[in-house]
Amino acid sequence: MQSAIENTLDIEQIRRDFPVLDQTVNGRPLVYFDNAATNQKPLPVIHALTRYYEGYNANIHRGIHHLAEQATAAFEASRRAVQSFLNAKHWEEIIFTYGTTDGINLVAQTYGRRFLGKGDEIIISTMEHHSNIVPWQMLCEERGCILKVIPVDDNGELILEEYEKLLSERTKFVSVVHVSNSLGTINPVKTIIDLAHGVGAVVLIDGAQASSHLELDVQALDTDFYVFSAHKLYGPTGMGVLYGKKEILDAMPPYRGGGEMIKEVTFEKTTYNDLPYKFEAGTPNIADVVAVKTALEYMAGLGKENIAAHEHDLLQYATEQLSELEGLRIIGQAKHKIGVISWVMDGIHHQDTGVILDQQGIAVRTGHHCCQPLMQRFGITGTTRASFAVYNTKDEVDRLVTGLRRVQKMML
Ligand SMILES: *Cc1c(COP(=O)(O)O)cnc(C)c1O
C-alpha cells in the first residue's frame, strides 16, 4: 500500500545523499536500523566538514586574521541556526557542548552544586538514559539531595498521577527525557514542565531522541533547560547543545575553567566571560559546530513533518509485521511513539538475534540501551531494537522480518 507520505519524500533520492548506505555487509545490502544510537550523515554535512578543514580552519574569536574571522563567523552562524531550530529567545542561550551527556553534566555540576542542597528532591523517570540518571546520583551523593523516580506503566508510558504525587515544595529539579531511546515513547513534556513549575522546580528536558523527529519550541514548552546531541540528527559526533533560560544561565557558576570562558585573569582574581562563552572553555569543536548548521538545513529541506510522517509509516508497518511473529513481544506500546521498536523473543537471547541479523547485513542494537532500570522494570535484561531514519524503507522492514524468521529457525 502506497501512502501519501511516500509520495512526498523521494526516499531513493534521499538515500543517494548517504554514501555509507551503499555497501554490502556479509554479502547483503546493508540495512541500517541503529539510528537511535547514531544516524548516518548526508553528503552536505560531510562536505561542510571537509570545506572547513580545506578552506578556513582557524581558531575562533580571538584571531584578527582572515581565516579566524571566517571560522568565527561560521561558528556563530551555527549558534543562530540552533537558536532558530529551538525557537530560543536569545542567541546567548545556546551553549555548545560535546553532547547530551555533557550538557546534563554541565547543569548538574553547575546549577546543581550551586542551588541544590541537603534534602532537596530531584525527580527523574524510570525511562531515563543512564546519562540522565548518573549525573544526578553523583550530585545527590555529594550534596545530600534525594532522587525520586516517576514510574512507567506496562505500555511504556509515564504514570502522571504518580508524578503529581511526587511533586511537593521539596521538589527543586525535574529532569525527564522527551522521547525514550529504548521504547520510542513521546512524553507529554509540556504537562510535566507546567506541573514542575507549579511547585517552583526547575526543569531539564533530554531531547537526544526528540530533536530529529519532533518540532521543537523551547519558549512554547517553557522549559528551563533543553539538551541534545548533533550526531542523532544527521550531524557530526562530539557536538551537542545546551539551551538554558538566560537568567538561569547567568546565575550559574562556570563549568570548566580555561581559555575563552574568562574576561580577565590575574593571580588574585579571574572575572568570567558573558554568555554563552562562560560555558565554552577551551577551543571548541569548531568543525562539528559549523557542520551542525548544514545538518539542520538538510532536515529543514526535507521537512521535519515529512520525515516524522515517513518514520511513523515505517513504525506502523514494522509493528504490524513483527506482531505476526510467534513468540515475539514488543516492549513499549505507547500511544505516541517515534520510529523506535523494541522487542523480546521467547527462548532467544537478544544478543543471538543481533549476531544472526548482522550476518544478514542488518544492523540493530541489542541490550539495555543505556536504560538498565527500565529493563528491570520490564523484568528483562535487554531487547533488540530497530530505530528508523528518513532513509529507511518498507523493503528493509521486510528484510528484518525475514531475518527474524531465520533467527527463530536457527535458535528454536
Ligand atoms: C543518546 C542519548 C543520550 C546520550 O547522548 P550522547 O550523545 O551519548 O551524549 C541521552 N539520552 C537519550 C535519550 C539518548 O538517546
Side-chain angles (χ1 to χ4, degrees), residues 113-126:
R113 285 167 101 181
R114 172 64 59 93
F115 296 110
L116 303 180
K118 199 167 168 48
D120 287 343
E121 294 181 358
I122 300 167
I123 297 180
I124 59 172
S125 89
T126 305

Side-chain angles (χ1 to χ4, degrees), residues 36-37 99-102 129 131 177 179-181 206 208-209 229 231-232:
T100 304
T101 306
D102 190 39
H129 188 283
S131 66
V177 72
V179 172
S180 159
N181 62 305
D206 169 356
Q209 293 298 330
S229 303
H231 71 95
K232 290 178 178 174

Side-chain angles (χ1 to χ4, degrees), residues 12-33:
E12 281 315 309
Q13 172 97 28
I14 290 169
R15 287 180 70 85
R16 286 198 278 278
D17 289 338
F18 293 84
V20 76
L21 297 175
D22 184 22
Q23 63 177 298
T24 54
V25 170
N26 295 320
R28 304 292 312 279
L30 167 68
V31 173
Y32 187 78
F33 277 164

Side-chain angles (χ1 to χ4, degrees), residues 69-187:
E69 279 174 6
Q70 216 181 334
T72 303
F75 186 85
E76 291 303 328
S78 257
R79 201 185 306 274
R80 303 286 176 155
V82 172
Q83 178 195 356
S84 123
F85 176 69
L86 291 176
N87 192 33
K89 193 164 175 189
H90 307 285
W91 65 271
E92 301 96 320
E93 297 177 319
I94 306 302
I95 315 287
F96 290 133
T97 66
Y98 298 109
T100 304
T101 306
D102 190 39
I104 298 171
N105 276 280
L106 189 162
V107 174
Q109 291 296 309
T110 59
Y111 184 92
R113 285 167 101 181
R114 172 64 59 93
F115 296 110
L116 303 180
K118 199 167 168 48
D120 287 343
E121 294 181 358
I122 300 167
I123 297 180
I124 59 172
S125 89
T126 305
M127 67 170 80
E128 298 312 314
H129 188 283
H130 293 162
S131 66
N132 199 24
I133 301 174
V134 184
W136 303 113
Q137 287 175 324
M138 289 163 63
L139 180 70
C140 287
E141 207 162 290
E142 182 186 321
R143 306 280 303 153
C145 315
I146 298 159
L147 202 60
K148 300 271 173 172
V149 184
I150 310 168
V152 164
D153 69 14
D154 291 341
N155 287 330
E157 293 181 350
L158 295 179
I159 307 174
L160 287 184
E161 304 82 68
E162 296 298 324
Y163 169 53
E164 285 184 70
K165 283 187 213 158
L166 292 177
L167 287 165
S168 75
E169 74 283 356
R170 291 185 303 279
T171 310
K172 299 299 180 212
F173 206 96
V174 174
S175 194
V176 170
V177 72
H178 197 164
V179 172
S180 159
N181 62 305
S182 46
L183 308 179
T185 312
I186 302 172
N187 287 320

Side-chain angles (χ1 to χ4, degrees), residues 307-327:
I307 299 175
H310 173 67
E311 290 167 351
H312 190 260
D313 244 25
L314 291 174
L315 174 69
Q316 239 171 349
Y317 184 66
T319 304
E320 283 163 23
Q321 297 298 309
L322 262 61
S323 301
E324 284 181 11
L325 291 173
E326 213 170 308

